[in-house]
Amino acid sequence: MERRQTRQRQLILNAVHTLKHPTADEVYAAVADAQPPVGRATVYRNLNLLAEQGEIRRIETGEADRYDGRTQPHYHLYCRCCGRVFDAHMPVIEGLERALTETDGFAVEGHTIEFIGLCPDCKNKNGGC
């Protein structure tokens, strides 16, 4: 089902692209002062809709979900200390899905890889986290 692109939805989409891997609360903070105001429920509903439509990606971190405006295949780095998510600057592993289909018979439709560790800021803090 196609939905019309509302001004509020466009503000939310712009915030996801501008903020780089924001949480829903960070998106809400970015768009709350718009005219007319955008409510928290509207932000959550539109983030879910945009993710379902493939316009953004939802990144499940085990804490608050984060959202990514970059929808082409790529991997992420997750800082276990501050909770931020970063794009990994490496190529996507070609043929991974096909190899799993051939070896395991599983009809792989896609994959995500998330690397977990400490970001440079947290790594350089005295004592880490």
Side-chain angles (χ1 to χ4, degrees):
M1 172 196 327
E2 187 173 325
R3 297 203 177 177
R4 63 187 176 91
Q5 186 71 1
T6 65
R7 181 175 182 279
Q8 292 174 325
R9 188 168 303 131
Q10 189 59 52
L11 285 170
I12 292 164
L13 187 59
N14 290 345
V16 170
H17 283 282
T18 302
L19 295 171
K20 307 290 186 213
H21 308 108
T23 63
D25 286 341
E26 290 168 339
V27 172
Y28 171 71
V31 301
D33 294 331
Q35 293 299 324
V38 179
R40 190 177 302 273
T42 300
V43 169
Y44 279 84
R45 183 174 55 255
N46 279 283
L47 286 171
N48 287 329
L49 177 67
L50 290 165
E52 288 171 9
Q53 292 178 337
E55 292 187 53
I56 62 174
R57 290 174 64 182
R58 178 182 292 114
I59 304 167
E60 297 177 16
T61 65
E63 296 177 14
D65 288 351
R66 293 186 170 269
Y67 297 89
D68 192 351
R70 188 174 163 210
T71 58
Q72 58 272 56
H74 65 285
Y75 303 130
H76 291 107
L77 302 156
Y78 171 70
C79 181
R80 64 175 172 77
C81 186
C82 67
R84 291 185 295 170
V85 174
F86 305 86
D87 288 333
H89 296 103
M90 65 175 284
V92 171
I93 301 168
E94 297 295 327
L96 191 59
E97 287 126 346
R98 185 181 62 250
L100 285 168
T101 298
E102 291 171 2
T103 60
D104 297 322
F106 194 88
V108 178
E109 297 172 348
H111 73 277
T112 60
I113 294 179
E114 177 182 83
F115 299 92
I116 301 166
L118 296 175
C119 71
D121 291 341
C122 292
K123 183 177 73 172
N124 292 328
K125 285 182 187 174
N126 288 339
C129 286

